[in-house]
Amino acid sequence: MKKLHQSALAALEGIVFDGMTIMVGGFGLCGIPENSILALRELGVKKLTVISNNCGIDDFGLGILLQTRQIAKMVSSYVGENKTFETQMLSGELEVELVPQGTLAERIRAGGAGIPAFYTRTGVGTIVSEGKEVRVFDGKEYLMEAALTSDLSIIRAWKADHEGNLQYRKTARNFNPIMATAAKITVAEAEIIVENGKLDADHMHTQGIYVERLFKGEQKKRIERLTLAA
Amino acid sequence: MAWTKQEICKLTAELELRDGFYVNLGIGMPMDIANYVPQGINITLHTENGMLGMGPYPQKHEVDPDLINAGKQTVTELPHSSYFDSADSFSMIRGGHIDLTVLGALQVSECGDIANWTIPGKLVKGMGGAMDLVAGAKRVIVIMEHTSKDNEPKLVKQCTFPLTGSNVIDRVITDLGVFDIEQNQMKLVQMAPEVTLEEIRSKTPANFTLCPDLKIAA
């Protein structure tokens, strides 16, 4: 099966639908699948549930899908500096499930690994624990957290081969590898695509088994907070 | 004289950093602690977006958009740095491998509850990794101003804002003093120079005892 597609639109063709759940890799603007996000705007799918640590900034990354009101629900750990997100959340237009970052990561990892739920100390005694089973292990309380999966994960890698084996670069890795594992279909965009055999098989971060579709995507890599040495 | 922000960071570094520690510093003021690592002490900074061995901010020619910290600031790599995904990063935290975390806070209660992620109706930031850090790190320290910008006390009997964690804080360092929390009890262990006990009491609704060897300004 040929995984390589010519563009984001070609890779996403026929697999997106209104009301679907999409995981989107990245932390802040670092490591986000820029081209797949733009393609989702062009395809116009609506009522999306998006699972992503953040929601970009107002005019870049996932923020652009908030502006077009294509997102009905966000599952995130941090709203941060995105005004559109905060406004739509406070007005009730956007449903938001805030999840502690480590719990979010582990729920995704569990989803990809076939583990339906797990127990964690994180969130005990806070509003995160509301409605959740609390269980005591060795005298300490833990919350049960359920796994997350998605209809589609869109992720960004640095290098890929035609098999869909992926390598990430520096902190652009973040949520991308685990989201690749937790989707029915994963679409990866890579900055560099090479022939099979050109990447060291001992140093694959994501294995091709998790990647259904692949395309080469140039990245703008906007920097959210340029901070220089004093 | 109350401590300045820089003095709080320097004091925190001197009191809390030990050689070989793996440390996660929260966004904002705690980040500055990295500037005051005492001589002879080597620590490794963990940043929860996926890096151990976080280096200083870059020179202009070193800027790399793929290399940021949890506050989304550009940073650099060190010879011993390593990268990993978000699940691994929080396994390090949840699994108790992080020796120390230092965070900011909106409120800390006398029994060690902390609120630092939202003010209902006013401010929505999200908890990010803070709930995981307070639940998983071996030692959890808060540094903050003793009172809010509106002069509201922040060391309180009970937090009124939604909690980040319950009974999780080991020590609070403010511009006025150092407070330890052990077995649900807060204890004043150090005061900033020339700050009086009366001033601290007037700005601290939380109950606290005095450490026997506390030096009190005349």
Side-chain angles (χ1 to χ4, degrees):
Chain A
M1 197 184 84
K2 207 167 150 283
K3 294 183 179 180
L4 186 62
H5 290 69
Q6 286 312 305
S7 66
L9 277 173
L12 290 169
E13 199 194 340
I15 56 172
V16 295
F17 54 91
D18 289 352
M20 75 188 305
T21 297
I22 306 180
M23 288 180 182
V24 181
F27 178 95
L29 300 180
C30 184
I32 60 172
E34 296 181 14
N35 296 284
S36 287
I37 293 169
L38 287 168
L40 286 177
R41 181 174 67 176
E42 202 165 324
L43 290 164
V45 276
K46 293 184 196 70
K47 296 182 182 149
L48 301 174
T49 294
V50 172
I51 301 168
S52 186
N53 189 61
N54 315 79
C55 201
I57 56 175
D58 292 83
D59 63 342
F60 198 71
L62 278 174
I64 64 173
L65 299 183
L66 281 180
Q67 291 195 337
T68 53
R69 296 185 152 67
Q70 287 171 264
I71 302 175
K73 181 179 176 182
M74 279 299 306
V75 181
S76 299
S77 85
Y78 195 74
V79 182
E81 291 70 32
N82 189 325
K83 271 283 147 208
T84 317
F85 191 130
E86 196 165 344
T87 310
Q88 289 187 13
M89 178 177 171
L90 290 173
S91 73
E93 190 179 349
L94 177 70
E95 189 188 339
V96 178
E97 182 183 343
L98 283 171
V99 181
Q101 196 176 145
T103 296
L104 181 64
E106 192 63 13
R107 289 176 69 188
I108 295 165
R109 197 194 71 80
I115 297 166
F118 59 93
Y119 291 92
T120 177
R121 288 280 291 158
T122 303
V124 170
T126 75
I127 60 173
V128 167
S129 70
E130 281 172 15
K132 288 175 186 155
E133 182 194 322
V134 176
R135 194 156 158 186
V136 175
F137 296 92
D138 289 332
K140 285 184 179 167
E141 290 186 345
Y142 292 78
L143 298 185
M144 191 179 81
E145 293 281 1
L148 286 170
T149 55
S150 65
D151 298 307
L152 169 69
S153 285
I154 53 175
I155 63 162
R156 186 231 282 184
W158 177 39
K159 288 182 179 172
D161 65 14
H162 288 247
E163 167 64 18
N165 293 310
L166 307 178
Q167 293 176 341
Y168 306 91
R169 189 169 174 276
K170 302 183 188 284
T171 57
R173 188 183 316 190
N174 55 63
F175 282 85
N176 287 298
I178 49 174
M179 287 180 169
T181 70
K184 288 195 189 109
I185 300 176
T186 291
V187 173
E189 56 187 272
E191 295 175 58
I192 299 163
I193 295 180
V194 299
E195 293 295 323
N196 291 343
K198 297 286 183 194
L199 298 179
D200 186 344
D202 254 337
H203 294 91
M204 301 302 191
H205 297 139
T206 289
Q207 289 67 37
I209 191 171
Y210 298 117
V211 178
E212 278 71 31
R213 298 183 179 200
L214 176 72
F215 66 92
K216 184 171 184 289
E218 262 182 52
Q219 310 291 323
K220 290 202 172 69
K221 297 194 183 179
R222 205 196 280 189
I223 293 175
E224 201 164 340
R225 289 194 175 170
L226 178 66
T227 311
L228 298 173
Chain B
M1 284 272 290
W3 287 311
T4 63
K5 282 184 182 182
Q6 289 84 348
E7 285 168 334
I8 293 174
C9 290
K10 188 163 182 281
L11 178 68
T12 306
E14 285 163 2
L15 291 175
E16 296 294 338
L17 300 181
R18 298 284 178 275
D19 197 33
F21 262 22
Y22 289 90
V23 180
N24 185 299
L25 300 174
I27 297 165
M29 182 159 71
M31 292 286 298
D32 292 339
I33 292 168
N35 299 327
Y36 300 100
V37 179
Q39 246 189 345
I41 287 186
N42 284 298
I43 61 163
T44 300
L45 292 177
H46 173 267
T47 183
E48 64 265 27
N49 53 317
M51 181 186 201
L52 272 169
M54 180 176 68
Y57 300 126
Q59 303 290 333
K60 212 168 183 179
H61 69 275
E62 295 175 309
V63 169
D64 184 339
D66 289 338
L67 182 43
I68 63 169
N69 65 18
K72 285 124 194 162
Q73 295 171 305
T74 44
V75 292
T76 53
E77 191 175 272
L78 297 170
H80 67 291
S81 297
S82 59
Y83 301 105
F84 34 84
D85 70 44
S86 300
D88 283 343
S89 184
F90 282 90
S91 295
M92 293 173 194
I93 295 170
R94 204 185 302 103
H97 306 282
I98 301 297
D99 296 295
L100 171 71
T101 187
V102 185
L103 302 168
L106 297 163
Q107 294 175 327
V108 177
S109 82
E110 60 191 37
C111 68
D113 294 352
I114 171 175
N116 79 346
W117 67 276
T118 184
I119 302 175
K122 243 181 159 178
L123 169 82
V124 193
K125 286 198 327 186
M127 63 290 279
M131 284 194 182
D132 308 279
L133 281 163
V134 299
K138 284 188 203 160
R139 186 162 167 82
V140 185
I141 306 297
V142 163
I143 62 172
M144 63 180 191
E145 300 287 320
H146 203 87
T147 54
S148 75
K149 287 192 183 90
D150 311 324
N151 282 319
E152 292 291 326
K154 298 174 72 169
L155 277 179
V156 294
K157 280 193 190 349
Q158 270 197 320
C159 296
T160 53
F161 301 140
L163 296 185
T164 308
S166 182
N167 294 116
V168 291
I169 303 304
D170 296 301
R171 170 174 275 181
V172 183
I173 302 177
T174 77
D175 47 327
L176 301 185
V178 180
F179 298 80
D180 281 354
I181 302 167
E182 283 166 20
Q183 285 147 5
N184 295 336
Q185 292 229 318
M186 190 178 273
K187 186 165 63 178
L188 177 61
V189 296
Q190 191 176 341
M191 291 160 68
E194 294 166 50
V195 168
T196 64
L197 197 51
E198 287 65 40
E199 180 183 359
I200 291 183
R201 285 202 194 283
S202 72
K203 293 176 176 172
T204 313
N207 288 306
F208 61 89
T209 58
L210 304 180
C211 180
D213 44 5
L214 177 73
K215 291 187 187 76
I216 297 174

